[in-house]
Amino acid sequence: MQDSRPATRAETPHRTWGEAAFGPRNAFVLFSGPCVLEDDDLNLEVARGVRAAARETGFPVVFKASFDKANRSRLGSARGPGLSRGLRQLQSVREATGLAILTDIHEPAQAEQAAEVADILQIPAFLCRQTELLVAAGRTGRAVNVKKGQWMSAGAMAGAVEKVRAGGADRVLVTERGTAFGYGDLVVDMRNFSRIRRAAGAPVIFDGTHSVQQPGGLADGSTSGAPEHIATLVRGAVAAGCDGLFLEVHPNPSSAPSDSSNMLPLDKLSGLLREVAAIRAALARRPTS
C-alpha cells in the first residue's frame, strides 16, 4: 500500500543543474541507482558504489531511484515505499553521500514535494505527453528529465520539452530508451541522439538498461530483458554522441523487486565506465577538419 502521509520537508537548500550540484552544464553525466528504492542499507550500498565507480573516470554522478513504480504490469506487483517515505529515503542518501538526486513523478501534485529533495525530476516514458505533469515539473525550477516514449519519434519530443519550458524550467533533458519493435522488443536508433538534440534543443541521455527490456516477455505478461546487450548499446550510444548515461544498477539484480531482468550488476559499472571514458577520449582526439 502506498504511503500517502505528507513528506518531511528537506532541510538542505535547493540545488539546481550546475556545477554546484553535479558538474558543469556541458559535463557528461551519469544517472545511476536501483530501479526502485529498497531498504536504507541497500540504497546506500548502491549510492556509494555508483559514486566510487564514477570517481574513477571523473564523471559527475546523480543517484536515481523511484519512490513508486506506478506502471507495473500487474496490480499486485511491488511498487516501492511511496512518496513520503521515499523522499525521506532519498534525503538520507543525499545526506550520507553528498550525491545529487533524481526521481520520477507521476502526478502534478507530486512535483513540489519531490522538488524539495530531488535536483532532477523525471517524467516516465509512458507519461511524456501529459501536459499538466510536464508543466508542473517545469514550475518547480528543478531540472527535468523527460524519458522518450517507446512510440515517440525524435522530432515529437520537441513538444514535450516545450511544455516543460513553458512551466519555467531552465534545464530540460531528454532520455532515449528505445523504440517499440513489435509487441515484445525495443530497438535503439543511434540517429536519435542528434535528431532529438536538433528538434528539442536539449541534451540527450541514453538509458542503457531500459533499452534492453522485452515488454511482455515473461509468461505472466511481465517485462523481461536481455542485459547481455547493455554494454554494447552503451558503447554505441557514447560513440554516437549521447550527452550522458542512465544506468540502473543493483548488487544482485535477480533479487531486485523491479526490473530485475534488465539491470546492470553494480560490480560491472566501473569497468563499463572505463570503456565509456576511453571512447570519449578517442572521440576528443578526432581531427576537426
Side-chain angles (χ1 to χ4, degrees), residues 6 8 34 39 50 62 91 99 113 120 150-151 162 183 197 210 216 230 235 256 274 284:
T8 300
D39 62 74
V50 166
V62 177
Q91 180 68 12
L99 292 176
Q113 280 186 277
I120 305 177
Q150 297 92 312
W151 65 94
E162 179 185 25
Y183 288 106
R197 195 180 294 115
H210 288 96
I230 292 172
R235 289 191 292 262
R274 286 194 294 271

Side-chain angles (χ1 to χ4, degrees), residues 2 51 127 134 149 171-172 185 200 245 260 262 280:
Q2 298 301 292
R51 183 181 62 181
L127 299 176
L134 292 163
R171 182 69 164 181
V172 188
D185 209 356
L245 292 171
S260 60
N262 56 262
R280 286 181 53 78

Side-chain angles (χ1 to χ4, degrees), residues 9 28 37 76 85 90-91 99 109 135 139 155 174 194 210 228 254:
R9 292 283 180 174
F28 186 89
L37 287 161
R85 182 183 169 199
L90 289 169
Q91 180 68 12
L99 292 176
V135 173
R139 285 192 186 120
V174 176
S194 58
H210 288 96
E228 65 271 19
S254 63

Side-chain angles (χ1 to χ4, degrees), residues 1-26:
M1 181 177 294
Q2 298 301 292
D3 182 355
S4 59
R5 292 172 295 169
T8 300
R9 292 283 180 174
E11 295 179 358
T12 54
H14 282 0
R15 298 199 291 179
T16 58
W17 179 284
E19 197 159 356
F22 43 86
R25 282 178 176 262
N26 61 351

